Amino acid sequence: MCAILIDRTASSGGDSTEDHYKALAASAIEGCADEQAVTLIYYFDQDRPGITPVGDQARYNLYRPEGRMVIKQDNQVDEEIDAANADVSAVFDDETDAERGSDVLQSLQAASESLRNRLSAEGVDEAYLIVISDGFQTGASLRVDELDGTTGPRDLSERAAELDLLPVLDGVSVTWAGVRSGDPGGESGGEVDDAFERDVKLFWTQVIEGGGGSLCSYTFDPDVLPVACVDEGD
């Protein structure tokens, strides 16, 4: 099973970034279809706490049911892929004038809960979560722009645990795509600050692992979506 979570705050603003996020979502949808997975697609922004389905029900059946003609099966999957991409594209139709960032932790919690519920209902074990966001957490309780050299990633992730903000991700393979958008509040004027980005990555790695998941890939542009974690011995 797959869940795709898309950042629709000002973090995804600008034509080039929007196009990139839509391309990442399309790649994730294709990847989930390759896994023949039921796929849930949500987005989050500053106006709607938690998560919002990109379509009417958020669920897309990107698998081939048994006992049907192959051509019909393929056509059904293609139709589901087209519908998923159209619903994702529609999310970006309205321009956002909000500031960059939002309570990503809250949205991640909601997405993980939805994924767990679906896993139980579908009776499957393998699960992928693809997060398309720069990870710019700006919730009231915790902000990544606190990562200033004095406060480190471990400080923030431990605070998240103390506040019961960690998503439950037992056994989930997580891919984080669309990162490295820079820190607009810093001296770089929006340019990417390598030290800041490393700290943000460490924070999210600790959050995901603290929730029982595995961060398999954290990159601007993954070659393959979703990314399955590979054991070091493989």
Side-chain angles (χ1 to χ4, degrees):
M1 174 162 298
C2 285
I4 303 170
L5 182 61
I6 304 169
D7 187 335
R8 189 57 191 99
T9 70
S11 296
S12 61
D15 291 342
S16 62
T17 305
E18 284 188 10
D19 288 345
H20 184 60
Y21 273 38
K22 285 189 280 189
L24 287 172
S27 178
I29 290 165
E30 288 285 349
C32 292
D34 289 342
E35 296 293 331
Q36 297 202 37
V38 172
T39 300
L40 312 172
I41 310 179
Y42 301 102
Y43 72 96
F44 62 93
D45 58 22
Q46 291 166 330
D47 296 327
R48 302 169 184 83
I51 54 176
T52 303
V54 297
D56 292 336
Q57 297 181 346
R59 172 185 167 141
Y60 302 86
N61 295 323
L62 305 184
Y63 66 91
R64 295 168 174 81
E66 296 180 359
R68 299 187 180 183
M69 293 183 298
V70 172
I71 293 177
K72 185 175 182 180
Q73 295 168 359
D74 288 340
N75 288 341
Q76 287 176 335
V77 173
D78 288 343
E79 289 172 2
E80 288 286 290
I81 290 172
D82 289 344
N85 280 312
D87 287 343
V88 169
S89 182
V91 168
F92 287 89
D93 284 347
D94 295 329
E95 294 186 7
T96 177
D97 56 1
E99 296 180 357
R100 178 186 175 202
S102 67
D103 198 341
V104 185
L105 271 170
Q106 184 183 25
S107 300
L108 194 57
Q109 276 189 314
S112 68
E113 180 178 1
S114 178
L115 181 58
R116 289 199 318 277
N117 291 339
R118 287 291 188 176
L119 285 170
S120 177
E122 300 287 341
V124 296
D125 298 322
E126 193 171 33
Y128 300 99
L129 174 62
I130 303 100
V131 183
I132 302 175
S133 171
D134 61 2
F136 202 75
Q137 164 72 24
T138 58
S141 302
L142 191 151
R143 302 176 58 94
V144 294
D145 54 12
E146 296 179 55
L147 295 168
D148 57 4
T150 302
T151 300
R154 180 66 64 184
D155 299 313
L156 291 190
S157 62
E158 288 179 351
R159 191 194 310 166
E162 291 169 359
L163 295 171
D164 197 26
L165 296 176
L166 297 182
V168 179
L169 293 165
D170 294 332
V172 178
S173 298
V174 180
T175 302
W176 202 296
V179 299
R180 295 183 65 81
S181 296
D183 176 8
E187 295 179 359
S188 61
E191 297 298 322
V192 172
D193 182 300
D194 287 338
F196 175 76
E197 294 290 341
R198 281 195 301 270
D199 282 348
V200 173
K201 177 181 179 180
L202 281 172
F203 166 68
W204 287 116
T205 301
Q206 290 160 7
V207 164
I208 289 165
E209 292 179 350
S214 300
L215 184 59
C216 308
S217 178
Y218 185 95
T219 182
F220 177 70
D221 196 2
D223 293 329
V224 180
L225 287 171
V227 175
C229 292
V230 178
D231 292 336
E232 292 183 359
D234 289 353

